[in-house]
Amino acid sequence: MYDLTVREQALRLLASGLSISEASRQTGVSRAAIKEWRDRPASDSPMTGTCPRCVTVPHLPAPAGTYAYLLGLYLGDGCISWVGDRAKRVWSLRIMCADTWPGLVGECVEAMRMIRPTNKVRVLRRQGCSEVNSYSKHWPHLFPQHGPGKKHERAITLMPWQQEIVATHPGRFVRGLMHSDGHRGLNRVRRELPGGVRCYAYPRYLFRNESADILALCGAALDLLGVAWRYNKRNELSVARREAVEVLDRYVGPKY
């Protein structure tokens, strides 16, 4: 199966009046594949009909809030890779979930099932964590941030349709990010004062990621929620103000 953008390019060439042979030459796609695309629209194909981005008129993945959560998990601790024969173009979405938070595994499994209801979801034991994965030809269409190399070594930007989802469900998106590369804990402070030592603690959220783009996406979503935040380190942002933590608790909360 060819990438969706290749299919669209070939169909545009046909619509411009080019022959199947010429469209094949320009795209590198076989004549048989282009002929099938012309005669069998994507919405009629059993392989693409269940993918909201592959139909003739693409639409948003549903439920949109669940997609926003899964997008956050993917950007934080997920990857998409080949499975089996590369010619078949089957992909595996893998998200690593810390065993410290067993509820996270269940929520991740449920999110994958809701976004790709026709595909199986597996949980595999790993050292200190669990891998939640599912095979599909369509993961790169649903998560176009996929690409060669590590996320922090390439640009990570959201497509307009993803921006629409995140703008509508920023809390779910932040929940996914925090459940992957985030932490809610107590910041303990010890200060030497003229009257003696003062110790106190306050709750805060931290989100750490090596990708400056992903950090910026998290910050933008927090802005939509009205949550004050700041960069704590080069690769980490912090939410520490009491009112900001209270707001974020309603959307994220502890990882069970």
Side-chain angles (χ1 to χ4, degrees), residues 50 52 61-67 69-70 106-121 134 139 142 172:
T50 59
T66 300
Y67 175 82
Y69 175 69
L70 191 58
E107 189 167 356
C108 179
V109 168
E110 183 63 18
M112 280 195 190
R113 284 175 176 165
M114 293 180 72
I115 297 302
R116 295 294 302 150
T118 60
N119 297 102
K120 293 182 180 180
V121 179
S134 180
W139 288 127
L142 293 165
R172 295 289 290 165

Side-chain angles (χ1 to χ4, degrees), residues 2-255:
Y2 294 92
D3 188 86
L4 178 61
T5 56
V6 176
R7 179 189 188 117
E8 292 175 343
Q9 179 188 5
L11 291 177
R12 284 196 299 269
L13 291 174
L14 292 183
S16 70
L18 294 183
S19 66
I20 291 178
S21 296
E22 181 60 21
S24 175
R25 188 188 67 78
Q26 292 193 24
T27 60
V29 178
S30 69
R31 295 178 69 258
I34 295 178
K35 185 176 185 298
E36 182 180 359
W37 294 344
R38 181 198 65 184
D39 298 338
R40 190 174 191 178
S43 56
D44 298 330
S45 170
M47 295 303 298
T48 61
T50 59
C51 176
R53 306 308 304 168
C54 292
V55 293
T56 304
V57 181
H59 55 85
L60 300 181
T66 300
Y67 175 82
Y69 175 69
L70 191 58
L71 174 61
L73 289 179
Y74 163 70
L75 291 178
D77 255 342
C79 68
I80 296 173
S81 56
W82 290 105
V83 178
D85 186 356
R86 294 174 69 95
K88 294 182 179 179
R89 300 256 176 175
V90 178
W91 302 86
S92 172
L93 171 63
R94 299 185 295 157
I95 295 178
M96 310 306 292
C97 301
D99 288 343
T100 311
W101 311 107
L104 172 58
V105 174
E107 189 167 356
C108 179
V109 168
E110 183 63 18
M112 280 195 190
R113 284 175 176 165
M114 293 180 72
I115 297 302
R116 295 294 302 150
T118 60
N119 297 102
K120 293 182 180 180
V121 179
R122 306 161 188 81
V123 178
L124 305 177
R125 295 287 303 149
R126 301 301 185 199
Q127 184 69 35
C129 64
S130 293
E131 174 189 322
V132 180
N133 75 40
S134 180
Y135 299 163
S136 174
K137 292 177 179 290
H138 302 287
W139 288 127
H141 306 158
L142 293 165
F143 298 105
Q145 288 68 39
H146 164 69
K150 300 176 181 179
K151 296 192 193 80
H152 69 274
E153 295 176 346
R154 63 179 191 271
I156 299 293
T157 58
L158 299 184
M159 301 293 288
W161 60 270
Q162 291 178 303
Q163 294 173 8
E164 179 182 345
I165 291 176
V166 170
T168 306
H169 302 278
R172 295 289 290 165
F173 179 60
V174 171
R175 181 180 177 86
L177 290 172
M178 289 293 179
H179 279 190
S180 56
D181 277 348
H183 169 72
R184 185 191 189 279
L186 289 177
N187 187 38
R188 301 184 186 278
V189 180
R190 185 179 186 275
R191 288 187 175 178
E192 299 280 351
L193 300 175
V197 176
R198 182 190 176 193
C199 297
Y200 61 95
Y202 59 90
R204 69 175 176 177
Y205 283 90
L206 298 175
F207 177 71
R208 178 177 295 181
N209 197 287
E210 291 300 319
S211 169
D213 290 342
I214 294 176
L215 286 172
L217 289 173
C218 182
L222 291 172
D223 288 341
L224 290 174
L225 294 173
V227 171
W229 62 277
R230 67 180 181 86
Y231 282 105
N232 191 47
K233 299 177 182 178
R234 170 194 62 80
N235 61 345
E236 183 178 77
L237 59 81
S238 167
V239 175
R241 292 184 182 179
R242 178 182 300 177
E243 63 275 13
V245 170
E246 290 176 352
V247 171
L248 207 52
D249 277 344
R250 297 201 296 268
Y251 294 99
V252 182
K255 299 181 188 174

